[in-house]
Amino acid sequence: MDNNSNVSKEFVREFFFDDSLEERRLNLFNQLYGEGTSSTPRRTIYRNREAGHERLMRDYFVENSVYTLETFRRRFRMGRHIFLRIVEALSNFDPYFQQRADALGRKGLSPLQKCTAAMRMLAYGVSADVVDDYVRIGESTAIECLKKFVTDVVLVFESEYLRKPNLNDVQRLLQMGDARGFPGMLGSIDCMHWQWKNCPKAWKGMFMSGHKGIPTLLLEVVASSDLWIWHAFFGVAGSNNDINVLDRSPLFDEVLEGRAPEINYTVNGNNYNLGYYLADGIYPEWPTFVKTISRPQGEKRKLFSKYQEGQRKDVERAFGVLQSRFAIVRGPARFWDKGDLAKIMRACIILHNMIVEDERDTYATPFGPLPSYDDTTNGLTQPDLGEEPLAPYENYIEKNIQIRDRQKYRQLQTDLVEHISQFYNVCQNV
């Protein structure tokens, strides 16, 4: 006990009366009473968000706004009525997009400010700090708004604007394909790389694209001639190719499970019951894909290759329009989480389809007016919450064999060669 007391007295004498420890005593005092550099208060920026909301209203959303509807369409990538529909839907769905007051009674950011900040980042691909000086929203809050925005857009609108084709949709797609010389066509399929700038180092070897030399994420898409994207499968590592992506894709899940709408068409006198997609040369020889002929011999086969390559550009056009509308998916992805990138990509595709639905009538096509896909109730499809019966395993195996039948593929290609030749002659005589 005495030894402990002597040690304590010695420590107190050394600490409080030794002049060499003056600096230590000062640092301890500053830490305790908050007068040192370590406790400097955080600087607060008064952004005047109320004035930012009023300016946003005057510029775009009042009756006699500063900027015209054409300018709004160019800067927001969509008509003003579509944007206001999105703002209203998100405000009703998520309290985050409702304007609330703080403890002092001061109003927070408005739904228009939050959605505008998110749309500017999606449309221009800029960093969160760029929207601060106009929308009056901080960097961290802008990133939060973007993540909330894309998440809610997927939850609210995915069932309508990124749905599988139902029976009526399939009939319209078949009519579009038949008018273009390809009966049984449901669209075009291809993959796109999205550079992942902030890919974690531990994953770079897996996501490294061989021909691009950078980490990328792959997007598989099926698009129709009006640029509507019917199928989107995103997130596969960039080291894969289109065939590896297809092996993991849910593209044919409904067909294998017997839940897909029935398809029946005739080409050159032969009946078929599987729709197909126009694809490039890397895809396998399945009757669900129609590829070009690499070295065509004869006028009919050359004509078929010319038609197939021309119509398959639908998916390339869809990629180009998607990237031009939303620069965030054209430039390098700066987020670290792959889940955030997946939501951004899906949200951009949903917004793209909303714009296509609104502007489809303005598209000029040589095959007549484009069809409408508004086969929904009250603007949204009604999900079936009941359990779906599983298809027997024998039927699953039978469908799988039918999808991969190479002999059927060669027969379909031969019939299409003859059909395209007849179709071309009819078009020339009209």
Side-chain angles (χ1 to χ4, degrees):
M1 192 69 177
D2 294 339
N3 292 336
N4 293 338
S5 300
N6 293 335
V7 172
S8 300
K9 292 178 181 179
E10 202 59 39
F11 173 80
V12 171
R13 185 182 299 109
E14 179 182 0
F15 188 86
F16 287 99
F17 298 102
D18 190 352
D19 293 338
S20 65
L21 299 177
E22 182 68 25
E23 185 177 355
R24 291 174 57 189
R25 292 200 299 270
L26 181 61
N27 291 337
L28 179 61
F29 180 84
N30 291 335
Q31 292 177 10
L32 292 175
Y33 296 99
E35 296 184 10
T37 57
S38 61
S39 60
T40 302
R42 180 181 178 182
R43 182 184 177 186
T44 302
I45 300 176
Y46 178 69
R47 290 184 168 83
N48 196 3
R49 54 178 175 264
E50 295 87 353
H53 171 72
E54 294 176 359
R55 181 173 61 178
L56 186 62
M57 291 292 295
R58 289 195 306 269
D59 288 347
Y60 295 106
F61 298 102
V62 296
E63 184 175 355
N64 296 319
S65 58
V66 175
Y67 300 103
T68 62
L69 294 178
E70 290 77 11
T71 304
F72 186 98
R73 166 64 180 80
R74 185 174 68 250
R75 295 179 178 176
F76 286 78
R77 305 301 194 255
M78 62 184 68
R80 187 168 67 184
H81 60 285
I82 302 179
F83 182 76
L84 292 177
R85 175 193 173 192
I86 295 172
V87 173
E88 182 182 4
L90 298 190
S91 300
N92 295 331
F93 176 77
D94 191 348
Y96 178 83
F97 288 98
Q98 300 173 1
Q99 191 173 29
R100 295 167 291 181
D102 57 16
L104 299 178
R106 183 187 176 193
K107 291 184 178 180
L109 293 165
S110 67
L112 287 177
Q113 287 174 291
K114 294 179 179 179
C115 293
T116 299
M119 277 304 305
R120 288 294 175 89
M121 296 171 66
L122 292 175
Y124 291 97
V126 296
S127 62
D129 189 58
V130 174
V131 300
D132 184 11
D133 55 350
Y134 179 74
V135 188
R136 298 300 181 184
I137 183 170
E139 180 182 3
S140 60
T141 309
I143 295 175
E144 183 183 20
C145 287
L146 177 64
K147 293 181 178 181
K148 286 281 188 178
F149 182 83
V150 297
T151 300
D152 291 350
V153 164
V154 172
L155 292 176
V156 174
F157 295 105
E158 184 178 32
S159 60
E160 180 179 1
Y161 291 101
L162 197 54
R163 68 182 188 272
K164 292 284 188 180
N166 54 34
L167 181 60
N168 293 333
D169 296 331
V170 168
Q171 293 303 319
R172 297 187 186 103
L173 291 172
L174 292 176
Q175 292 175 6
M176 293 169 60
D178 195 11
R180 305 173 75 188
F182 285 93
M185 183 183 71
L186 297 176
S188 304
I189 186 172
D190 203 359
C191 291
M192 180 191 82
H193 289 264
W194 185 18
Q195 179 183 351
W196 192 1
K197 178 178 179 294
N198 288 333
C199 175
K201 289 186 177 181
W203 295 357
K204 280 191 175 181
M206 178 173 56
F207 286 84
M208 188 69 67
S209 173
H211 67 283
K212 292 184 177 294
I214 52 177
T216 61
L217 292 162
L218 274 169
L219 168 68
E220 182 189 67
V221 155
V222 170
S224 53
S225 60
D226 58 355
L227 306 184
W228 185 288
I229 296 177
W230 289 104
H231 162 78
F233 178 61
F234 176 77
V236 181
S239 57
N240 291 270
N241 57 23
D242 295 10
I243 301 177
N244 304 131
V245 177
L246 180 65
D247 291 338
R248 300 175 56 181
S249 171
L251 179 62
F252 297 117
D253 284 359
E254 290 190 348
V255 177
L256 294 173
E257 296 170 4
R259 296 185 288 109
E262 293 185 4
I263 299 176
N264 294 286
Y265 61 96
T266 303
V267 183
N268 197 31
N270 293 319
N271 297 323
Y272 297 91
N273 58 1
L274 279 179
Y276 59 84
Y277 306 100
L278 301 185
D280 56 17
I282 193 175
Y283 282 88
E285 294 183 349
W286 296 355
T288 51
F289 300 116
V290 170
K291 306 189 296 181
T292 187
I293 302 174
S294 59
R295 295 179 179 85
Q297 303 293 327
E299 294 300 324
K300 292 184 178 181
R301 297 172 72 86
K302 290 180 180 179
L303 181 63
F304 167 79
S305 299
K306 178 181 177 180
Y307 261 66
Q308 195 276 347
E309 293 169 4
Q311 305 300 338
R312 197 191 68 80
K313 296 302 180 183
D314 293 340
V315 67
E316 303 292 349
R317 291 170 50 233
F319 284 142
V321 173
L322 178 68
Q323 292 180 328
S324 63
R325 281 176 176 162
F326 304 103
I328 193 171
V329 300
R330 182 175 69 242
R334 293 189 295 269
F335 284 91
W336 296 87
D337 186 15
K338 189 171 72 171
D340 292 336
L341 298 179
K343 293 177 183 177
I344 290 173
M345 180 62 75
R346 296 185 74 83
C348 289
I349 293 174
I350 291 170
L351 296 175
H352 166 86
N353 283 345
M354 295 178 73
I355 299 170
V356 169
E357 179 190 56
D358 181 62
E359 301 178 356
R360 185 186 290 112
D361 296 335
T362 64
Y363 296 167
T365 65
F367 305 102
L370 294 169
S372 174
Y373 305 114
D374 302 333
D375 188 19
T376 56
T377 304
N378 296 327
L380 294 175
T381 55
Q382 302 299 318
D384 184 9
L385 301 181
E387 294 185 0
E388 298 178 351
L390 295 177
Y393 186 69
E394 294 81 3
N395 295 348
Y396 183 91
I397 296 298
E398 182 181 355
K399 287 288 185 180
N400 195 13
I401 295 175
Q402 186 179 3
I403 288 176
R404 299 168 183 264
D405 189 351
R406 289 194 173 187
Q407 184 177 356
K408 201 73 172 179
Y409 163 81
R410 296 187 179 96
Q411 179 184 347
L412 176 61
Q413 187 182 65
T414 302
D415 291 338
L416 284 174
V417 168
E418 295 295 331
H419 178 80
I420 292 294
S421 177
Q422 299 173 10
F423 178 80
Y424 176 77
N425 292 332
V426 172
C427 292
Q428 290 295 106
N429 295 330
V430 173

